[in-house]
Amino acid sequence: MRVLLIGSGGREHALAWKIAASPLLTKLYAAPGNPGIGGEAELVTLDIADHAAVARFCTEKKIDLVVVGPEGPLVAGIADDLRAENIRVFGPSRAAARLEGSKGFTKDLCAKYAIPTAAYGRFGDLASARAYVERMGAPIVIKADGLAAGKGVTVAINLAEALAALDACFDGSFGQAGAEVVVEEFLTGEEASFFCLCDGVTALPFGTAQDHKRLSDGDVGPNTGGMGAYSPAPVMTPEMIDRTMREIVEPTMRGMAELGAPFSGVLFAGLMISDNGPKLIEYNTRFGDPECQVLMMRLKDDLLVLLNAAADGQLAHTSVRWRNEAALTVVMAAKGYPGTPEKGSVIRGVEQAAGDGVEIFHAGTAIDSGALVANGGRVLGVTATGGTVGEAQRQAYAALDRIDWPQGFCRRDIGWQAVAREQAR
Ligand code: AMP
Ligand code: GLY
């Protein structure tokens, strides 16, 4: 098979690594990719926003499957435009990607199908949003409706913070994404990420993970795209997975089909697990990053077989197997992240740090005069497996400490809840 992978992050490096291991693969291209992905694939310069150009490339290179990593191109309709040219795609249509592209759309779907989620209101103007927030009181959660690169959510602990977040949305801080606002009840519990591969009809559970979104040790500081993750998530017991499938994922699949927008691709449910069971915080319509890195390390089966089954509507006849080990990723970021990261510093020792059960996935890296340099906020995902989360954590930090990059930083406590649970046993 000849495959084109779209994207350039740690998620895509992990996907490229796993796709490259498939006996079905004859040629892998990545656009735009990064230097790590370049070890697994031929990198191509393509304007991803120009869907006609991507389609021409696929036809010319006889691509059998396009795998879309990030949400941006999906929400922009790349899957529709490629399918219109008879090109097979793993990823949802524009209409199905609204599950990530519009928080209000997802909340209305939840309301219609009685899917457990936070109580909410949708607002197109400041005055009515303010009135709702004042009536509900704090803590309360304010969200820009559209894609805001993870920055559109404010968990406000007091009224002043909530009102300031509303002002920011309606002031245009998030552009069009903030023209509409969702205000939500504050949920408590333990967060988990749950993934399904979907083919429009069937959703196949595809692993669990927990992500550390806050910048600093102890889960404090500003929100980021994710500073580390581990899999599996201890709160996602087989019983909790069953409930999530029955109460959240299956009604979503039915609802999307009834709306004429059957969902195919990765459905990533961000969940809050409370004493009353799972509640949906939000959907993403692609793999999480860094969650994808830990999932790929644990996946026993051939990823390409599974992506094909999803693209062809064959998931009802497919199963998936995982290694028994845990996996854990520690993100190394460039100083300045999540604000403006410093670019250009030289990173040494990456190849020597990888080894048995350890992969170093690249995100924001580049090659400059033959040297590997930082070229983004999140730069490397140091990923290890182990018999326990604690063991995977030790292996990941041992590898990370072999990397020579003074301008980088990381959290030192990725996986702490799971490790504490293991120690308490
Ligand atoms: P999101 O971008 O929707 O995943 O939100 C980012 C983070 O905000 C989530 O991972 C949660 O930690 C938090 N969050 C979002 N919605 C809620 C909610 N309704 N209640 C409590 N925390 C929330
Ligand atoms: N790590 C969270 C995300 O990919 O959305």
Side-chain angles (χ1 to χ4, degrees), residues 103 118 141 143 153 155 184-187 191 213 281-282:
K103 295 186 191 291
V141 182
K143 300 184 174 183
V153 175
V155 178
E184 278 184 18
E185 168 201 4
F186 174 74
L187 298 176
E191 281 186 59
K213 283 209 174 75
I281 299 176
E282 62 156 6

Side-chain angles (χ1 to χ4, degrees), residues 11 211 213 225-226 268 284 286-291 378:
R11 165 181 52 216
D211 177 21
K213 283 209 174 75
F268 161 7
N284 296 303
R286 35 98 191 154
F287 281 112
D289 195 5
E291 291 95 321
R378 293 188 295 170

Side-chain angles (χ1 to χ4, degrees), residues 76-97:
I78 195 168
D80 311 66
D81 292 338
L82 295 178
R83 286 184 187 124
E85 302 293 327
N86 292 317
I87 298 161
R88 287 169 71 244
V89 182
F90 176 79
S93 67
R94 183 197 332 248

Side-chain angles (χ1 to χ4, degrees), residues 71-271:
E71 64 277 16
L74 294 168
V75 171
I78 195 168
D80 311 66
D81 292 338
L82 295 178
R83 286 184 187 124
E85 302 293 327
N86 292 317
I87 298 161
R88 287 169 71 244
V89 182
F90 176 79
S93 67
R94 183 197 332 248
R98 276 180 298 173
L99 285 174
E100 175 159 7
S102 168
K103 295 186 191 291
F105 171 83
T106 298
K107 298 299 285 188
D108 287 354
L109 184 90
C110 289
K112 186 167 170 198
Y113 291 91
I115 294 169
T117 188
Y120 73 106
R122 288 179 81 168
F123 303 96
D125 68 278
L126 180 61
S128 53
R130 276 188 81 106
Y132 182 80
V133 165
E134 278 163 359
R135 194 167 72 243
M136 304 303 284
I140 195 159
V141 182
I142 313 293
K143 300 184 174 183
D145 181 75
L147 292 184
K151 299 191 177 94
V153 175
T154 304
V155 178
I157 29 203
N158 56 48
L159 212 53
E161 228 181 293
L163 296 176
L166 285 181
D167 285 341
C169 285
F170 289 111
D171 276 355
S173 296
F174 306 110
Q176 233 358 75
E180 189 180 319
V181 167
V182 172
V183 180
E184 278 184 18
E185 168 201 4
F186 174 74
L187 298 176
T188 53
E190 186 166 348
E191 281 186 59
S193 302
F194 178 61
F195 298 86
C196 289
L197 290 184
C198 305
D199 66 4
V201 177
T202 301
L204 180 69
F206 196 67
T208 65
Q210 272 171 325
D211 177 21
H212 292 271
K213 283 209 174 75
R214 301 302 190 108
L215 184 67
S216 306
D217 284 16
D219 292 320
V220 298
N223 260 313
T224 70
M227 295 302 292
Y230 55 94
S231 171
V235 281
M236 293 305 287
T237 58
E239 187 226 345
M240 199 58 75
I241 291 176
D242 278 353
R243 282 193 66 177
T244 305
M245 289 302 291
R246 234 178 16 250
E247 296 172 20
I248 298 179
V249 174
E250 282 162 9
T252 299
M253 293 296 286
R254 271 198 307 280
M256 293 303 285
E258 281 173 21
L259 285 172
F263 187 88
S264 69
V266 178
L267 188 62
F268 161 7
L271 301 173

Side-chain angles (χ1 to χ4, degrees), residues 315-327:
L315 286 177
H317 316 291
T318 308
S319 61
V320 55
R321 291 169 306 164
W322 301 95
R323 295 183 209 289
N324 281 329
E325 288 93 354

